[in-house]
Amino acid sequence: MRGRLCILLATLLAVSAALTGCTAAETEEKGLCIYYAAGDQETYGQAAVDWESWAEGSEASAVDEVFDRMLEEPETDGLSQALPDGVRLWSWTLEDGVLTLNLSEDYNGLSGISLTVATTCLVLTMTQLEGVESLSIMVDGQALPEGSQVPLTREDVLLTGEIQDPATAGFQLYFPLSDWSGLGTEYRETELYDISLTDQIDTVIAMLAAGPGTDGMASPFAGLETYLDSQMVDDVCVLTLTESWAAALSARELSRQALVNSLCELEQVEAVAFNWDGEGKESLEGTWYADYG
C-alpha cells in the first residue's frame, strides 16, 4: 500500500491563523456552525478551516444528522469538503463529555495536513452539541496510530498565530539495494516548521542526497545538490535537474525509480517528470509513476 506523509496530530499546529470559532451567540442566532476546509487547498501550506451556518441545526441535533450535514458540499465560496469521499459514521458513543466517532476505513486514507484539517472540522463542529466537551476518533473500531483517538477539545484546535513549534513528519524513502537487484525502503522522521508540499519535496531531495542510514543499500545520490527546483502541474511533480542529478538518474534506472517512489509517497504527488535538456535526456523523458515491485 502506498505510504503517506504523517504529521502527528497531537500538535495540531498546521492550521493557520485564519482559523476562528463561531461563538455561542452566533450558534444560537444562525444555527449550528458546520466547519469546512479553507485556504490554499493545492498545497495546504496555509491550510485553515472556516464555517458556514446551518439554520436547521442546533446544539440538540443528533450526531448522525450533523455528520451527514458535514458530508454535503458547502455553499460558501472558498470552502471545500474536508472529509474524504465515501466516509461513513458506523457508530458513536458519548460518555463523560467525550464523543467517540467510529468512522469507516475511508477516513484512514487521510494523512498529514488533510487529516489535521478534517479532524479539526469534526472537533469544532461536534463540540457545539449538547454534552460534548471533546472528540475522539476511531476507524473500524480501531484507534488511529497518528493520535486522533486522543480526545480533543475546542481549545486544542482553536490556535492563533503562525506555527511556533515544529511538526514531526515521517517520510518513506527508497534507495537501490547494494547489489542493485531492487529497491529498499527506509523510514525517516524529521521536524518541519514549514509543512507545505514544496517543503516536503525539498526535504525528500535533501534526505536522498544524504544517503541511506541502513546497511545493504546503495547511495547513488550522495554528494549531489540537496535542493532541486520543483513545481506541481496538476498532480505531477516537475523537477528541474542539475547536471549531476541528471547524470545519476540517467545512469541507472533504479536510481530514477528510487527518487520517483520517494516523491510519490507524498500525499499530493501522483507522478514525477523531469525538466532537463542535456545529456541523458532521452532516458528521463516522460512522466514516471511509482513502481513498488
Side-chain angles (χ1 to χ4, degrees):
M1 178 180 294
R2 173 179 171 178
R4 296 293 190 182
L5 171 71
C6 296
I7 304 296
L8 300 185
L9 275 183
T11 63
L12 281 176
L13 292 172
V15 183
S16 78
L19 172 59
T20 59
C22 62
T23 66
E26 289 170 326
T27 301
E28 182 177 351
E29 177 184 353
K30 301 178 180 179
L32 209 65
C33 296
I34 304 297
Y35 284 81
Y36 294 95
D40 184 354
Q41 298 307 304
E42 286 297 318
T43 65
Y44 287 106
Q46 293 295 325
V49 308
D50 207 342
W51 56 272
E52 67 178 23
S53 61
W54 180 34
E56 292 78 10
S58 71
E59 64 177 15
S61 297
V63 172
D64 310 69
E65 184 182 15
V66 175
F67 188 85
D68 287 344
R69 180 62 178 79
M70 292 186 69
L71 294 178
E72 297 181 14
E73 288 297 325
E75 299 177 357
T76 306
D77 291 340
L79 301 185
S80 60
Q81 179 60 260
L83 302 181
D85 292 338
V87 68
R88 295 291 181 264
L89 174 60
W90 294 140
S91 61
W92 61 272
T93 59
L94 178 58
E95 185 175 354
D96 296 330
V98 179
L99 174 64
T100 300
L101 302 180
N102 182 24
L103 305 180
S104 64
E105 178 64 26
D106 306 273
Y107 198 79
N108 225 11
L110 296 175
S111 65
I113 299 305
S114 59
L115 178 58
T116 302
V117 170
T119 301
T120 299
C121 290
L122 284 168
V123 171
L124 293 179
T125 300
M126 293 297 180
T127 53
Q128 298 170 78
L129 300 181
E130 185 175 2
V132 179
E133 298 175 1
S134 60
L135 180 72
S136 177
I137 299 175
M138 305 183 78
V139 171
D140 283 343
Q142 302 296 318
L144 293 180
E146 288 84 359
S148 296
Q149 76 279 6
V150 177
L152 298 170
T153 67
R154 296 180 69 82
E155 288 72 25
D156 291 326
V157 299
L158 283 175
L159 304 176
T160 59
E162 299 298 327
I163 296 176
Q164 298 297 321
D165 298 311
T168 301
F171 296 87
Q172 184 83 354
L173 304 174
Y174 290 77
F175 293 95
L177 297 176
S178 296
D179 61 2
W180 292 87
S181 61
L183 294 177
T185 62
E186 180 177 300
Y187 180 78
R188 200 176 300 175
E189 290 187 347
T190 189
E191 293 186 335
L192 300 178
Y193 284 88
D194 180 358
I195 50 178
S196 67
L197 179 57
T198 298
D199 195 65
Q200 295 171 34
I201 292 170
D202 292 345
T203 301
V204 170
I205 298 298
M207 285 182 169
L208 291 176
T214 305
D215 293 338
M217 290 193 284
S219 183
F221 314 113
L224 302 186
E225 294 86 350
T226 58
Y227 170 81
L228 294 175
D229 183 61
S230 66
Q231 61 176 320
M232 291 298 297
V233 179
D234 294 327
D235 55 5
V236 178
C237 174
V238 181
L239 290 179
T240 298
L241 300 178
T242 62
E243 183 175 353
S244 56
W245 270 94
L249 296 177
S250 60
R252 289 181 180 264
E253 182 179 346
L254 277 179
S255 297
R256 184 196 66 222
Q257 198 63 55
L259 172 62
V260 171
N261 282 15
S262 298
L263 289 173
C264 285
E265 288 286 343
L266 301 180
E267 183 175 0
Q268 297 170 70
V269 178
E270 295 295 333
V272 177
F274 301 110
N275 185 10
W276 173 249
D277 290 325
E279 186 175 350
K281 175 182 178 181
E282 293 77 10
S283 63
L284 297 174
E285 288 181 333
T287 300
W288 302 95
Y289 294 85
D291 182 359
Y292 301 112

